[in-house]
Amino acid sequence: MANHSCGRNRRMVPAHTAASEPAMRRWPHPVDGTEPMQCPDPSLQYIRCALSYQNQLLAEIRSLLEQMAASAPEK
């Protein structure tokens, strides 16, 4: 006689439990109007200032190019 107890008396184990999942951390979004913390490392401060200066120059170049494009005669 065949043994038909394959699926009987088994406990159902969930695929994952809430205890096995890592805790979710939410960081505040930086859009609240506050400035980022000052970097204690002087080299990072230098890089930050240099990038800020480059962004300013690029913005000025962009505005000059837009003025040139607006004043150029259309063909």
Side-chain angles (χ1 to χ4, degrees), residues 49-67:
C49 289
L51 288 174
S52 176
Y53 180 69
Q54 286 181 352
N55 284 338
Q56 183 180 2
L57 286 177
L58 287 172
E60 290 175 6
I61 291 170
R62 180 181 178 188
S63 67
L64 289 174
L65 287 173
E66 288 173 349
Q67 288 176 5

Side-chain angles (χ1 to χ4, degrees), residues 5-73:
S5 64
C6 277
R8 296 181 197 164
N9 298 327
R10 286 190 179 182
R11 293 183 189 169
M12 293 300 296
V13 178
H16 59 78
T17 61
S20 66
E21 293 180 5
M24 207 169 189
R25 295 188 178 127
R26 304 249 181 220
W27 301 101
H29 201 274
V31 183
D32 60 357
T34 60
E35 289 293 319
M37 287 180 33
Q38 294 295 326
C39 301
D41 189 7
S43 62
L44 291 179
Q45 178 65 22
Y46 174 78
I47 292 170
R48 209 168 132 197
C49 289
L51 288 174
S52 176
Y53 180 69
Q54 286 181 352
N55 284 338
Q56 183 180 2
L57 286 177
L58 287 172
E60 290 175 6
I61 291 170
R62 180 181 178 188
S63 67
L64 289 174
L65 287 173
E66 288 173 349
Q67 288 176 5
M68 288 174 57
S71 66

